[in-house]
Structure formats: structure tokens, C-alpha cells
Amino acid sequence: MAAAGEERARHWQYEELPGVDLLRARYVRKEFVRHTHEHFVIAAVVEGVEVFHHGGSDQYAGPGALALVNPDTPHTGRAAVPEGWRYGAVYPRPELVAEIAAETTGIRGTPGFVRPVLDDPYAVGLVHQVLRAADEGNALAADTLLRVAVTRLLRLNGGALPQRETRTAGARIAARARAVLEERMAEPPSLAGLAADLGSSPFALLRAFRSAYGMPPHTWLTDARVRRARRLLDAGAAPSQAAVAVGFTDQSHLSRHFSRIVGVPPGAYQRERKNVQDDRPRLFLPSALWQNRQLSQTCAPTTEESPTPPSYGTPWGSGSP
């Protein structure tokens, strides 16, 4: 592992994997505050240990394990050991996961992951090969490996997600409060003012909101602001403009919260987005036989028979995170 205290991260996209975010990172002191993602999180740990609060308890993911988080699920993240943790992650959009599930599994309903941690070195290797293929401009490999990895994880740890109930009075008030905060993101009301507008009391609204969305309104608002700021940065807005547009006081205010949720500062995030297209030649795998072998191994044993995934290039575990 790298020297103690050294942290680095790259958060980017590959144009041939539309709607999929990619991440390589090594964190030591980084602490992710409670937040959610619009996409699935598939994080493959290769060194160290990450602990993240999810579903009411702490979950630990070490080497050979994956942290799996469904969309809109509150969670945190930090190092569980002094040396931190190194991992790679893919964030596929829900529509892509649903498409893969419909084609390759028997899951009925909205697909998702059942357990937040899965020990599966084979799938960990697949995730890192997706990242390597994206780095090398290998469109065929990146897309194939991503689909193989998602299929494997759904078969080993997939199920239908429970539908969110909105029939109770508390759930309806929480949904109305969320709509108000989305509309008034840059100038939100106080908790008392919001409750009064909705015909509720502050603590009743607070309890209802936490029950519905897993966090208090102010925490949800910060998360939502960062989400909207990401969209603005993707559209080309300057970080300073995005900060003001979503209600942060200035760029440094945005940067502080953005880094604690996304993992990189907004400037670095946007630079990688601008570098999605480059001059590197795309590599293509020469044989359909290779593709068929990958698909046949989506549920292959992960220890004695298949300790690591087959590689089309350099090993996934070498080099920088």
C-alpha cells in the first residue's frame, strides 16, 4: 500500500459507457457524510478496510469484498484501519441494471442488491477490469465486463427492491416537504416555517422526513444540492456558478460538501468530465469466444476454481488505485 497519509482519487466517465460513473481511489482520512446516489454503487476493495453505515448498522468491506448500495439509500463511508482503503467502483444507472436483470435473471420487480457487502474476489477483479478497459479505450471489453459483473452480482446477491409506501399521513407530509425543498433549494425555509406551511409541527415533520428518507431535511437538502451541482458541472457551469445556483454561499462551501459526498473536489470532477473524449485508439477484443467465456463464468466459484477473473491485459490489482 502507498505511504501512510497519501490519498488520491479519480472520478470520471467513459463515453462508451453512457450513464455510468467510474472511480478509482485510495482514502485514509476521508469521511463520507450521510448521502445517497441516484445510481447503484458497486465498490470493489483491494486493500485496507472500509466501514460504512447502512441500514442501521456498520458494514465492513475488506480485500476481495464489494460494498453494494442501491439507489437513494442513505449511507456513509470511512476507513476502518489506519492505512485506509483502496478500491475501484462503478456506478451504473438504475435503467441499465434493470435491463441486465430482465435479460439475465428471474428477478421480478425493481432489481437491487439484498446485502450491502459481498465477499467475491472474482467480481472484485471484474470491476477493476472494467476500469482498466475504460482507461485503455476498449469499448467492447468495458461494456462486456460491466454487464458480466452486474449479472454475477444480481445472481449472487440480487432481489426485488421493496416499494416505498406513501400512504400514511407522515409519508405524504415528508413527500410534500421534499418537493418544497427541491423547488426552493437555493432559499429554503426554516424547519418551523416548512412545518407551518404543511400544517405540521417541526418535530412531527422531522420524524416523518427521517422515516421516509433516512436523514433529516437539512442533510437531505445538502445531498440534493450536491446532486444538482453535479448536473450543472456536467452541463459546463463553472463551480462558482453551480455553488450559487444550488444555494451554497460560495465555491469553497460547495467544494467542502462536494468532496465529502462525491469524493473529489468539483474542479477535479469537472475536468475529468471534459476529458471523456480523447485521442487514444480504441481496442477491440478479437474473439466472440472470449465474450462467451466471461458470460459462462458469471457465477463461477471465487476461491479454488476461479480465484481471479481472466485478464485481457495487465493485472487489475497493479499500478495506481
Side-chain angles (χ1 to χ4, degrees):
M1 184 172 282
E6 182 182 349
E7 295 191 337
R8 53 185 182 271
R10 181 190 179 203
H11 195 295
W12 83 104
Q13 285 185 327
Y14 175 43
E15 61 180 329
E16 300 295 343
L17 294 178
V20 180
D21 286 343
L22 308 170
L23 174 71
R24 277 202 191 98
R26 177 179 184 270
Y27 295 124
V28 179
R29 300 172 305 277
K30 173 71 69 179
E31 292 193 15
F32 290 91
V33 297
R34 195 163 182 81
H35 66 285
T36 63
H37 295 274
E38 294 177 290
H39 293 188
F40 283 86
V41 179
I42 301 175
V45 180
V46 291
E47 290 180 344
V49 182
E50 178 191 14
V51 57
F52 59 104
H53 197 77
H54 176 287
S57 62
D58 284 341
Q59 307 290 332
Y60 293 81
L66 301 103
L68 304 170
V69 181
N70 296 318
D72 297 314
T73 301
H75 62 286
T76 63
R78 59 181 172 82
V81 291
E83 60 269 27
W85 79 104
R86 181 168 72 89
Y87 70 114
V90 294
Y91 303 81
R93 66 187 187 280
E95 295 81 4
L96 176 59
V97 173
E99 172 193 323
I100 294 171
E103 185 175 357
T104 64
T105 76
I107 296 173
R108 297 290 179 263
T110 304
F113 299 123
V114 176
R115 301 185 303 277
V117 175
L118 179 68
D119 289 318
D120 186 359
Y122 190 92
V124 167
L126 288 173
V127 169
H128 284 270
Q129 289 225 28
V130 172
L131 301 175
R132 185 172 296 281
D135 268 342
E136 296 179 352
N138 191 332
L140 185 57
D143 192 17
T144 300
L145 289 162
L146 176 66
R147 292 172 184 273
V148 169
V150 171
T151 298
R152 178 179 176 85
L153 293 172
L154 287 174
R155 288 179 176 176
L156 294 176
N157 187 42
L161 295 178
Q163 298 300 308
R164 188 187 299 275
E165 292 289 339
T166 58
R167 297 177 184 175
T168 67
R172 289 195 296 270
I173 288 176
R176 291 169 58 197
R178 173 173 171 163
V180 170
L181 294 176
E182 287 177 336
E183 183 179 353
R184 299 177 57 183
M185 185 172 291
E187 296 181 353
S190 66
L191 179 64
L194 180 60
D197 289 343
L198 297 176
S200 179
S201 70
F203 280 104
L205 174 58
L206 179 60
R207 287 193 298 270
F209 202 98
R210 289 180 68 104
S211 176
Y213 302 113
M215 59 183 77
H218 70 279
T219 304
W220 180 91
L221 180 61
T222 298
D223 190 35
R225 282 172 166 172
V226 169
R227 284 191 183 193
R228 188 171 295 182
R230 288 182 63 174
R231 297 192 192 102
L232 293 173
L233 294 171
D234 288 343
S240 58
Q241 295 172 323
V244 174
V246 302
F248 289 117
T249 54
D250 53 27
Q251 183 173 336
S252 63
H253 192 197
L254 167 64
S255 182
R256 182 168 67 254
H257 290 290
F258 198 97
S259 296
R260 296 172 68 191
I261 289 176
V262 180
V264 295
Y269 171 90
Q270 189 176 56
R271 283 193 298 274
E272 290 290 351
R273 288 315 208 245
K274 291 180 178 178
N275 292 332
V276 165
Q277 299 184 14
D278 55 38
D279 297 334
R280 291 174 297 182
R282 294 191 183 123
L283 306 176
F284 293 93
L285 297 174
S287 171
L289 177 63
W290 186 93
Q291 308 288 344
N292 293 335
R293 183 178 65 177
Q294 299 303 310
L295 290 170
S296 69
Q297 293 178 335
T298 55
C299 281
T302 59
T303 54
E304 296 178 1
E305 295 183 30
S306 299
T308 59
S311 173
Y312 70 89
T314 49
W316 59 263
S318 63
S320 59

